[in-house]
């Protein structure tokens, strides 16, 4: 399952409540593992995050956090705190379920906003990890279901190589958040998660595809999208397979993967666009793109390629972009040229077009 939604939030909250009720009779005034907060304060933090994320979505906050927070009543004990975690977790689940596709709200990292799936994933990460912080100091196990950890890693930590042989997704999640060790990997002193990017491009938007959604596309699924013409074109599935293989090999870098082109007026996916991987040693990255037949001839690909190229060329590691097109694909050649790419020496048998940083 690749979707981060209300059901996954409730699964994570149910797991957390079960773990925490097992230690509700202990002393929650002690510091939680690895934190300056007490166990009770850590539970309050989970509650505050759930409410904040729900309010970001329901308010459609564009450039700041909604200016209020949630705290436990004075005198609340562990049982009351667990009740509040459950209640506010369900609140976030409801907000996620009722947020229309395409809606994004402010969150600072890395793109300044997140969609409903992103806020769901962040809420799941908060409750799983902080339940662990409480449980480890109180002497109980807090390991969640493996599939939930796998899906969370693929959505929010796509830059982290998957679990090595002999390890588990939970151990990888703990390592990725500075809470554990893995064989062959240095312990992390600092870490961040990655919310997907969304780039406006006139009548369409480029929306970053997670490794989990890419795997579904590669296997013949929809990637969680509703497609014009009912399904993506062949090139989009090939690109999704490239992302899937790169993620499995531990070399995927989220920004340099795949984006779906989604028409903003009806939320129908009309194509795919992205990179064949991160920039090479000379700072060059190769781009690729396609549209479903029903979306061609409307300028979608040209506007999307202009937007993606302008964004990519702000990245310090990139100096140029390359598009390699088959000789008989005149439509794709026209897209590259309309987006400002200049014909280069052929990459036999294909034509090559490049765009350089000004």
């Amino acid at each position: 399952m690749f979707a981060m939604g209300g059901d996954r939030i409730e699964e994570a909250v149910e797991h957390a409540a079960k773990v925490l009720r097992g230690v509700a009779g202990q002393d929650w005034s002690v510091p939680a593992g690895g934190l300056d907060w007490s166990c009770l304060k850590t539970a309050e933090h989970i509650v505050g995050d759930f409410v904040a994320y729900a309010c970001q979505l329901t308010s459609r906050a564009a450039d700041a956090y909604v200016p209020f927070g949630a705290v436990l009543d004075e005198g609340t004990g562990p049982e009351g705190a667990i009740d509040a975690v459950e209640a506010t977790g369900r609140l976030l689940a409801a907000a996620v379920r009722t947020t229309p596709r395409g809606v994004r709200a402010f969150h600072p990292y890395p793109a300044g906003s997140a969609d409903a799936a992103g806020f769901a994933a962040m809420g799941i990460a908060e409750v799983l990890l902080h339940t662990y912080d409480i449980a480890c100091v109180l002497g109980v196990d807090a390991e969640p279901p493996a599939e939930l950890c796998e899906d969370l890693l693929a959505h929010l930590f796509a830059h982290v190589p998957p679990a090595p042989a002999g390890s588990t997704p939970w151990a990888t999640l703990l390592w990725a958040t500075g809470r554990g060790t893995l064989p062959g990997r240095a312990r992390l002193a600092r870490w961040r998660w990655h919310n997907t990017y969304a780039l406006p491009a006139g009548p369409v938007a480029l929306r970053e595809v997670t490794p989990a959604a890419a795997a579904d596309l590669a296997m013949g699924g929809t990637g969680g999208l509703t497609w014009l013409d009912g399904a993506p074109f062949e090139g989009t599935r090939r690109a999704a397979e490239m992302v899937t293989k790169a993620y499995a090999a531990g070399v995927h870098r989220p920004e340099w993967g795949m984006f779906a082109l989604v028409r903003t007026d009806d939320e129908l996916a009309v194509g795919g666009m992205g990179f064949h991987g991160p920039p090479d040693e000379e700072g060059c990255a190769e781009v690729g793109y396609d549209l479903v037949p029903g979306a061609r001839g409307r300028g979608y690909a040209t506007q999307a390629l202009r937007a993606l190229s302008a964004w990519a060329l702000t990245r310090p590691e990139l100096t140029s972009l390359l598009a390699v097109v088959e000789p008989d694909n005149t439509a794709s050649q026209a897209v590259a040229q309309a987006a400002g790419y200049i014909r280069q020496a052929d990459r036999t048998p294909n034509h090559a077009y490049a765009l350089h940083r000004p």
Side-chain angles (χ1 to χ4, degrees), residues 206 257-261 271-275 288-290 300-302 304-305 308:
L206 296 108
M258 176 184 173
F259 294 77
L261 305 188
M273 183 174 289
F275 307 98
Y289 44 89
D290 75 358
Y300 295 157
T302 297
L305 185 58
L308 183 65

Side-chain angles (χ1 to χ4, degrees), residues 35-355:
L35 303 175
D36 295 330
W37 302 324
S38 70
C39 292
L40 191 63
K41 190 70 175 177
T42 302
E44 183 181 65
H45 174 77
I46 298 171
V47 169
D49 279 336
F50 281 159
V51 172
Y53 293 163
C55 288
Q56 291 302 100
L57 287 172
T58 56
S59 70
R60 313 292 195 256
D63 53 13
Y65 286 114
V66 176
F68 77 96
V71 296
L72 299 174
D73 288 346
E74 187 174 351
T76 299
E79 284 287 356
I82 297 165
D83 289 344
V85 167
E86 289 181 304
T88 54
R90 294 188 188 111
L91 179 69
L92 177 59
V96 166
R97 288 190 180 108
T98 55
T99 299
R101 283 188 180 183
V103 168
R104 294 179 71 90
F106 173 79
H107 187 275
Y109 186 79
S113 67
D115 59 8
F119 280 106
M122 290 187 288
I124 291 167
E126 293 285 353
V127 71
L128 294 184
L129 294 167
H130 288 314
T131 294
Y132 166 81
D133 295 334
I134 296 168
C136 70
V137 77
L138 298 181
V140 296
D141 179 57
E143 183 169 354
E147 184 179 297
L148 183 58
C149 297
E150 286 178 342
D151 291 347
L152 184 61
L153 285 164
H155 191 101
L156 211 55
F157 296 92
H159 54 290
V160 172
S167 187
T168 65
W170 177 232
T172 303
L173 183 60
L174 293 178
W175 175 82
T177 56
R179 288 169 167 83
T181 60
L182 283 176
R185 298 185 191 177
R187 186 166 185 143
L188 295 181
R190 300 183 65 183
W191 61 272
R192 273 184 168 171
W193 53 45
H194 175 87
N195 272 308
T196 57
Y197 279 93
L199 308 176
V204 297
L206 296 108
R207 297 189 186 152
E208 189 179 349
V209 175
T210 67
D216 183 71
L217 282 167
M219 292 187 294
T222 65
L225 300 162
T226 302
W227 289 85
L228 182 70
D229 295 353
F233 201 61
E234 180 183 350
T236 295
R237 295 208 188 276
R238 290 199 301 267
E241 186 176 357
M242 291 172 60
V243 170
T244 303
K245 290 179 177 179
Y247 180 64
V251 296
H252 175 65
R253 287 177 58 190
E255 302 96 315
W256 300 105
M258 176 184 173
F259 294 77
L261 305 188
V262 179
R263 207 159 56 186
T264 54
D265 64 348
D266 57 12
E267 286 298 306
L268 290 177
V270 297
M273 183 174 289
F275 307 98
H276 292 194
D280 61 21
E281 293 180 355
E282 296 180 352
C284 179
E286 185 175 344
V287 297
Y289 44 89
D290 75 358
L291 294 176
V292 300
R296 295 171 185 170
R298 305 183 190 186
Y300 295 157
T302 297
Q303 293 185 73
L305 185 58
R306 285 173 181 159
L308 183 65
S309 301
W311 173 80
L313 288 168
T314 67
R315 316 294 290 182
E317 63 267 46
L318 184 79
T319 58
S320 65
L321 292 164
L322 176 70
V324 179
V325 186
E326 295 174 350
D328 58 351
N329 192 346
T330 56
S332 289
Q333 294 169 28
V335 166
Q337 291 174 311
Y341 285 63
I342 305 299
R343 180 76 181 270
Q344 308 292 303
D346 285 353
R347 301 288 181 98
T348 306
N350 296 322
H351 294 179
Y353 299 84
L355 181 65

